[in-house]
Amino acid sequence: MSDLAKTPTEKPAVEAEPSATPTTAVDPRLLVREQGFAGYWTEFLRKVRGGELGSLPVVVGLIVIALVFQLQNDKFLSASSLANIAVFTSGVGIMSVGIVFVLLLGEIDLSVGSVAGVGAAVWAVLSVNHGWGDWLSVITAVVCGLVIGAVHGIFFAKVGVPAFVVTLAGFLGWSGLQIWLMGKEGSINTPTGSVVEDLTTHFFADKAAAYGLALVAVLLYAGSQLLDAKRRKAAGLPSRPLSEILLRTGVLAVLCFVVAYFLNEPDGARGLPLALVLFLAVLVIADFVVRRTTFGRQVFAVGGNAEAARRAGINVDRVRITVFAISGMLAAFGGLFIASLSGGATKSLGSGNTLMIVIAAAVIGGTSLFGGRGKIWSALLGMLVIQSIQQGLNLEGMASEIQYMITGAVLLAAVVIDSVSRRTQKSAGRA
């Protein structure tokens, strides 16, 4: 009887253990932020050891390039030199933004050079030969690029032809169309005062323009960071502390206003280039699409694992077609910048090393060739590296073949860093 009487009293004690308060998992990012900047430094070292380098190699590379060429020639960081870098970076940089979208899928688009040529040819033929209005011709050219890209995407997504083969065929086919559109003369000069001419020749001479753009960029960045922190706090998620937001905003402000100051210096520069404004606008819009929209998250998902994305309910075919359409559209838009720089549309516009520079810029900037990893701003960083090298070598009077060899070496280094980074992450259990 004593044992039977004891049993009911012991049973509640055993059952009480599961009802104990469970241990709450703490997000490691919260612990890092609680430790202040010392915690961030520790986290930074951990990421570097784990192969998560981000944009660090590119930023370090830019600083080294600037120091080397400035020591060789004190005109490298002059206003006129920076303006040239900004203008020559814009057109090909816009094309590189489209390539970033494609690389995020883990695919490639070899047709961007010929699509740029077709876009410029369509604009020139409609505007000059047929008398269409400037804006209508430009819009038609960009829409043609979008349609061409969508055709590539359909063959890839619906028919199952590899993107490499589809876009290689497009590279050849659209080059033929470009030559046919240009006719026997093979070139059409840009009309004076046209929209396309202004793309790379128009500068905002008023100093308030450069400083105003710098101020708008800083305010938009600070506002977005504060809003993001507020939303994350409301959702109970880790967010950046105010001190970090202020530091990041301060660094950006120094960078933006220094560039604005140099662009306004009266040593050959003419103020803020319109080309730079348009390039930055494309970057901001594309970055918003990639990071803040459902479509952007779907692109990363498809690039990371297409089959898993399909099983999660994502329309993989639609994402692929849309990405290639974006690439074609931006390629045609970039082709108008190249036409503006070269003084008109030609049957060879977009040929040569254009394709290689476009792809190299995205890869050098930090976008992975293996898909699922990268940022839109990679296009800007990569183009700054390439154009800075070209500008510095031009000031030194180096031949173009030297520029090609150095750019090729930088591209190889970027791919090696990406491969080593992935291998390191895999070994550290983070890939």
Side-chain angles (χ1 to χ4, degrees):
M1 285 296 292
S2 59
D3 292 338
L4 293 175
K6 189 189 297 182
T7 302
T9 60
E10 291 178 347
K11 188 175 181 180
V14 175
E15 292 180 345
E17 292 182 1
S19 63
T21 303
T23 303
T24 304
V26 180
D27 193 314
R29 291 173 294 181
L30 284 174
L31 299 177
V32 168
R33 286 165 178 154
E34 288 175 357
Q35 296 170 7
F37 291 108
Y40 280 102
W41 177 250
T42 303
E43 178 71 3
F44 169 75
L45 294 179
R46 184 194 66 79
K47 287 184 176 181
V48 171
R49 287 192 295 267
E52 301 176 48
L53 300 178
S55 301
L56 178 63
V58 191
V59 175
V60 172
L62 276 173
I63 294 174
V64 171
I65 290 170
L67 289 176
V68 169
F69 284 122
Q70 181 65 17
L71 291 174
Q72 294 293 322
N73 192 320
D74 58 2
K75 294 182 179 179
F76 179 76
L77 293 178
S78 65
S80 58
S81 177
L82 291 178
N84 286 335
I85 292 174
V87 171
F88 282 92
T89 291
S90 300
V92 182
I94 289 173
M95 297 170 65
S96 186
V97 172
I99 285 294
V100 170
F101 275 94
V102 177
L103 291 179
L104 289 176
L105 287 182
E107 303 297 336
I108 194 66
D109 187 351
L110 301 178
S111 68
V112 289
S114 57
V115 174
V118 169
V122 168
W123 158 78
V125 169
L126 293 179
S127 177
V128 178
N129 293 355
H130 295 284
W132 285 31
D134 269 358
W135 283 106
L136 182 58
S137 301
V138 168
I139 293 173
T140 303
V142 174
V143 171
C144 283
L146 185 147
V147 172
I148 289 173
V151 169
H152 294 161
I154 291 171
F155 274 98
F156 168 53
K158 297 294 186 181
V159 182
V161 183
F164 179 89
V165 177
V166 172
T167 56
L168 179 59
F171 167 76
L172 298 172
W174 304 125
S175 294
L177 176 61
Q178 174 187 356
I179 296 172
W180 179 77
L181 287 172
M182 295 306 301
K184 295 181 179 179
E185 294 184 1
S187 64
I188 300 176
N189 294 331
T190 304
T192 303
S194 64
V195 172
V196 171
E197 183 187 49
D198 288 343
L199 288 177
T200 58
T201 61
H202 183 77
F203 288 73
F204 299 97
D206 192 340
K207 292 184 177 182
Y211 289 122
L213 180 62
L215 179 61
V216 169
V218 172
L219 292 178
L220 286 177
Y221 178 79
S224 66
Q225 292 294 305
L226 291 172
L227 181 61
D228 183 65
K230 180 179 179 181
R231 289 176 175 175
R232 296 181 72 85
K233 286 181 179 179
L237 298 173
S239 60
R240 290 194 176 102
L242 181 61
S243 58
E244 182 186 350
I245 294 176
L246 292 177
L247 178 61
R248 287 171 174 262
T249 304
V251 172
L252 178 64
V254 170
L255 178 62
C256 290
F257 281 99
V258 166
V259 172
Y261 171 79
F262 276 104
L263 289 176
N264 284 328
E265 282 293 287
D267 68 339
R270 290 173 286 173
L272 177 65
L274 173 63
L276 178 60
V277 176
L278 295 176
F279 184 23
L280 292 176
V282 170
L283 286 168
V284 170
I285 294 172
D287 181 67
F288 177 83
V289 170
V290 167
R291 294 196 305 113
R292 301 292 184 180
T293 66
T294 302
F295 172 74
R297 291 189 288 271
Q298 290 175 347
V299 171
F300 278 102
V302 174
N305 190 317
E307 185 57 32
R310 194 188 309 276
R311 294 184 180 184
I314 296 175
N315 190 330
V316 174
D317 291 346
R318 184 178 62 188
V319 171
R320 287 171 168 170
I321 294 172
T322 304
V323 164
F324 277 91
I326 291 173
S327 178
M329 177 183 67
L330 293 179
F333 189 34
L336 299 179
F337 282 77
I338 299 176
S340 178
L341 283 171
S342 59
T346 65
K347 62 181 180 182
S348 61
L349 188 149
S351 61
N353 64 338
T354 302
L355 171 63
M356 293 299 102
I357 291 179
V358 169
I359 297 176
V363 176
I364 291 172
T367 301
S368 176
L369 282 169
F370 304 101
R373 189 176 67 179
K375 296 180 180 180
I376 292 297
W377 293 93
S378 300
L380 173 62
L381 293 174
M383 278 308 305
L384 285 177
V385 169
I386 294 174
Q387 194 57 48
S388 296
I389 292 173
Q390 293 182 352
Q391 178 71 9
L393 294 178
N394 286 335
L395 291 175
E396 293 299 310
M398 294 288 185
S400 59
E401 55 266 25
I402 303 297
Q403 299 180 19
Y404 292 159
M405 288 188 285
I406 293 178
T407 304
V410 173
L411 173 59
L412 178 60
V415 177
V416 169
I417 291 173
D418 181 35
S419 300
V420 172
S421 173
R422 278 184 168 269
R423 190 178 307 167
T424 305
Q425 289 185 48
K426 184 176 293 186
S427 63
R430 296 190 181 94

